[in-house]
Amino acid sequence: MTEMLRYEQDCWQKNYKYVAGIDEVGRGCLFGDVVAAAVILPTGLVLEGVTDSKKLTDKKREACYDLIMENALAVGIGTVDAKVIDEINIKQATRLAMKKAVQALSLQPDYLLVDAEKVDFPLPQLAIIKGDAISQSIAAASIIAKVTRDRLCRGEWEAKYPEYGIAIHKGYATKLHREQIIALGPTDMHRRSFLGNLLVQQPTLFDL
């Protein structure tokens, strides 16, 4: 597990005390916000079981979420909705969500470890490819972002659009989701720039 701290340890040795890990979830979805999280953990703390959120079961992610929230010095969440994603593209929307997550931290970080991206923020930072698998701080952020977005899918978004099965597919392009878009048309939370041929001659929900 200490291997997951090698990037953090390098920062701590250079006297960066508050190292924030940053990651996002929902980048490839057809529906809903892209959600980013920033997490600052105490120097030297090892959180057992915290790794890339995609490698964890729902139950384990929820347990790790609680563990991270109990131990983190600060946690920030940033979101960007479908309308803005369509306006500025998903890459820029992802970076914006990450910036918002950093801005939402209650503690000012002095170094950023980012999963494969650059954050438009005036701080020293390092983009790490597959960072959620090799940095504990980024892994923690991936878990916070994933659980936060999944809860929105199962709760608020499912309640708003129950016909689309958002709680099941979380907004990704499953067969069920594509079929419901074709049958019902897209909602105001669907990313039009992602829908391609599904939009051809399909009405908007609010035009029905």
Side-chain angles (χ1 to χ4, degrees):
M1 184 63 201
T2 53
E3 274 296 298
M4 290 284 284
L5 286 177
R6 63 184 180 273
Y7 291 101
E8 288 84 348
Q9 286 171 339
D10 184 58
C11 292
W12 296 328
Q13 288 168 4
K14 294 175 180 175
N15 293 319
Y16 294 113
K17 185 177 181 182
Y18 300 124
V19 180
I22 305 167
D23 201 4
E24 56 72 32
V25 68
R27 189 166 184 152
C29 295
L30 304 181
F31 173 99
D33 300 2
V34 60
V35 177
V39 177
I40 302 176
L41 296 172
T43 301
L45 177 68
V46 175
L47 294 178
E48 294 295 335
V50 171
T51 187
D52 176 2
S53 65
K54 296 185 291 296
K55 297 179 180 178
L56 302 174
T57 63
D58 287 347
K59 183 177 180 180
K60 184 62 176 174
R61 270 196 301 269
E62 289 282 349
C64 285
Y65 176 96
D66 292 340
L67 181 65
I68 294 161
M69 294 300 288
E70 288 167 7
N71 286 278
L73 298 176
V75 174
I77 300 292
T79 66
V80 174
D81 65 24
K83 184 175 185 294
V84 175
I85 291 170
D86 286 338
E87 289 173 355
I88 66 175
N89 76 52
I90 187 59
K91 180 176 179 64
Q92 296 307 316
T94 295
R95 294 174 67 172
L96 178 57
M98 288 178 165
K99 180 179 181 179
K100 287 183 173 183
V102 174
Q103 291 172 326
L105 288 167
S106 60
L107 185 65
Q108 174 71 38
D110 45 29
Y111 200 94
L112 308 179
L113 297 175
V114 191
D115 187 53
E117 273 294 352
K118 176 176 173 58
V119 180
D120 182 19
F121 208 84
L123 287 172
Q125 57 190 275
L126 178 64
I128 305 172
I129 302 300
K130 297 185 178 179
D132 49 6
I134 55 178
S135 161
Q136 179 177 255
S137 298
I138 297 176
S142 78
I143 290 167
I144 297 298
K146 174 66 173 167
V147 171
T148 298
R149 192 177 192 281
D150 282 358
R151 288 178 177 178
L152 285 168
C153 289
R154 292 192 300 264
E156 178 184 334
W157 296 348
E158 172 68 17
K160 189 173 183 181
Y161 299 113
E163 305 92 346
Y164 289 81
I166 304 301
I168 300 169
H169 51 66
K170 309 298 192 301
Y172 287 93
T174 63
K175 183 174 183 290
L176 169 64
H177 193 188
R178 295 194 310 271
E179 287 175 347
Q180 292 305 92
I181 294 170
I182 291 169
L184 301 172
T187 71
D188 62 345
M189 290 187 67
H190 278 96
R191 305 173 188 178
R192 302 306 178 96
S193 57
F194 280 48
L195 298 182
N197 290 335
L198 289 176
L199 274 183
V200 176
Q201 296 183 340
Q202 295 303 319
T204 301
L205 178 64
F206 303 105
D207 293 335
L208 298 178

